[in-house]
Amino acid sequence: MQLKPFIDYLLLERNYSALTVNAYEKDLETFSEFIKAEYDSSIIADVNYSQIRSWIVQMVENGLSNRSINRKISALNTYYKFLLKIGDVDKNPLSKHRALKTAKKMQVPFSELEIMTVLDDMNFDDDFESVRNKAIIELFYSTGIRRIELVELTVSSIDFENKTLKVLGKRNKERIIPLLDSVTKTLNRYLSSRKELDDITDNDRLFLTKKGLKIYETLAYRVINDYFSEASTKVKKSPHILRHSFATHLLNQGADLNAVKELLGHSSLAATQIYTHNSIAELKKVHIKAHPRSKK
């Protein structure tokens, strides 16, 4: 099975991340091993839907979640679409496939009180890492950016004059996010502390380790988890929950859904609508409290 043209297509034409491409490659290799073992064939292009269905059944029997199975089938479907595009197959055996049903995961956002407890009530020291960590937390909550987007920020991403942040999102789509005055102050303080580092290797990157190297995704996760463990009893404490909190709190305050969509960098409004659940809950409280008929 020759996957290099497909990998190049995903990376160069579709602008998929290296992590996604690696996952797709592993999924296709797993399927290739399955049809080799079950059907003595290594040619994915010759496979029919019933054979793919038997792979799905095997994965279910092995205890894989519907969500994981859907991801693997999505990788296979993308591969068949590529084969159609280059003329290696004349039909996609997954064209009529329906994804397995999955339970929607409700992400519970931090409350405004929990976030203010971290940002306003906790004592951040004056050392480099403490100053950096506060800047990371403030930037996550005030902009709603993704973890990888924060890791990849450069010093030039910040426009202090216009108080904006330039973010490179999925599919290399660029967006501009306004910065609050409080955040620009925190970032200025961080950059002053950053200048005091003895040695900087990744000079263009905004957030660095104390060794002068760009931070990594695990570090960004650990910062959020460590600080919010002191202020919140929620099971999940991650940068994504801060992103969820950003969107939910904006909607609770009456922000336009389309505006929140643009700030989050979503390609469709449907992706943003998952954040309206908590907003509706707040509206219900207001409605019950304020409506003249609510006491009857």
Side-chain angles (χ1 to χ4, degrees):
M1 180 177 61
Q2 178 56 261
L3 288 180
K4 190 177 185 309
F6 177 59
I7 300 304
D8 290 342
Y9 165 72
L10 294 180
L11 289 169
L12 302 176
E13 289 192 40
R14 298 293 299 275
N15 292 317
Y16 279 26
S17 71
L19 286 174
T20 300
V21 171
N22 186 50
Y24 273 38
E25 188 173 9
K26 286 181 179 178
D27 290 339
L28 290 174
E29 287 172 352
T30 300
F31 179 64
S32 181
E33 290 168 5
F34 169 79
I35 61 172
K36 178 66 177 175
E38 295 294 322
Y39 301 102
D40 195 26
S41 172
S42 58
I43 305 173
I44 292 182
D46 293 343
V47 169
N48 57 48
Y49 182 68
S50 65
Q51 292 170 317
I52 297 173
R53 185 71 185 170
S54 65
W55 185 43
I56 294 173
V57 170
Q58 185 191 77
M59 289 190 286
V60 170
E61 290 175 346
N62 288 340
L64 263 71
S65 68
N66 285 4
R67 194 176 300 275
S68 295
I69 293 171
N70 286 342
R71 195 205 72 228
K72 292 177 183 296
I73 297 302
S74 175
L76 190 59
N77 190 34
T78 303
Y79 183 59
Y80 279 121
K81 287 179 179 179
F82 169 73
L83 294 180
L84 270 174
K85 183 182 178 74
I86 63 175
D88 278 9
V89 297
D90 54 13
K91 68 175 183 177
N92 179 355
L94 284 166
S95 60
K96 295 183 179 180
H97 172 76
R98 290 189 176 185
L100 302 181
K101 290 184 178 180
T102 58
K104 290 186 177 180
K105 287 185 177 180
M106 283 306 301
Q107 301 286 359
V108 181
F110 296 121
S111 67
E112 292 183 35
L113 177 60
E114 286 171 330
I115 292 172
M116 297 314 155
T117 298
V118 171
L119 290 175
D120 298 336
D121 296 343
M122 283 189 180
N123 290 321
F124 286 85
D125 295 329
D126 291 328
D127 62 283
F128 169 76
E129 288 187 332
S130 296
V131 173
R132 178 203 64 197
N133 292 348
K134 185 171 186 182
I136 287 174
I137 296 168
E138 283 210 46
L139 203 58
F140 269 135
Y141 178 57
S142 66
T143 64
I145 61 177
R146 301 176 178 92
R147 177 167 42 162
I148 185 60
E149 291 172 344
L150 180 131
V151 168
E152 295 297 330
L153 288 175
T154 62
V155 177
S156 61
S157 298
I158 308 170
D159 183 342
F160 282 103
E161 184 178 350
N162 293 305
K163 295 180 181 177
T164 57
L165 181 73
K166 185 186 294 183
V167 178
L168 193 63
K170 290 184 176 180
R171 312 287 190 273
N172 288 328
K173 185 179 178 183
E174 189 178 277
R175 67 187 189 278
I176 304 295
I177 304 175
L179 289 176
L180 301 172
D181 288 343
S182 59
V183 179
T184 57
K185 288 178 182 177
T186 302
L187 286 171
N188 268 315
R189 186 180 173 214
Y190 162 68
L191 288 172
S192 296
S193 181
R194 182 180 180 277
K195 290 177 183 176
E196 302 301 317
L197 291 175
D198 294 330
D199 184 38
I200 297 179
T201 302
D202 298 318
N203 196 52
D204 62 322
R205 297 295 174 179
L206 177 59
F207 289 112
L208 303 175
T209 67
K210 61 183 179 182
K211 293 182 179 179
L213 302 171
K214 83 168 191 173
I215 65 167
Y216 40 95
E217 289 192 62
T218 307
L219 188 152
Y221 174 87
R222 193 164 62 238
V223 166
I224 303 306
N225 186 68
D226 288 351
Y227 282 92
F228 278 89
S229 290
E230 299 293 320
S232 175
T233 58
K234 289 181 173 62
V235 174
K236 192 169 183 180
K237 297 173 278 287
S238 68
H240 184 71
I241 298 300
L242 264 185
R243 176 173 164 85
H244 188 51
S245 305
F246 163 82
T248 300
H249 295 171
L250 283 181
L251 290 167
N252 285 347
Q253 295 298 321
D256 177 71
L257 190 62
N258 275 299
V260 175
K261 166 185 170 290
E262 294 303 315
L263 290 169
L264 291 171
H266 284 159
S267 57
S268 70
L269 201 58
T272 313
Q273 285 173 329
I274 64 169
Y275 297 105
T276 62
H277 173 81
N278 292 281
S279 180
I280 291 170
E282 288 299 314
L283 287 173
K284 283 181 179 178
K285 290 179 186 177
V286 173
H287 183 258
I288 290 171
K289 186 177 180 180
H291 199 281
R293 299 284 294 175
S294 66
K295 301 293 189 294
K296 293 186 180 295

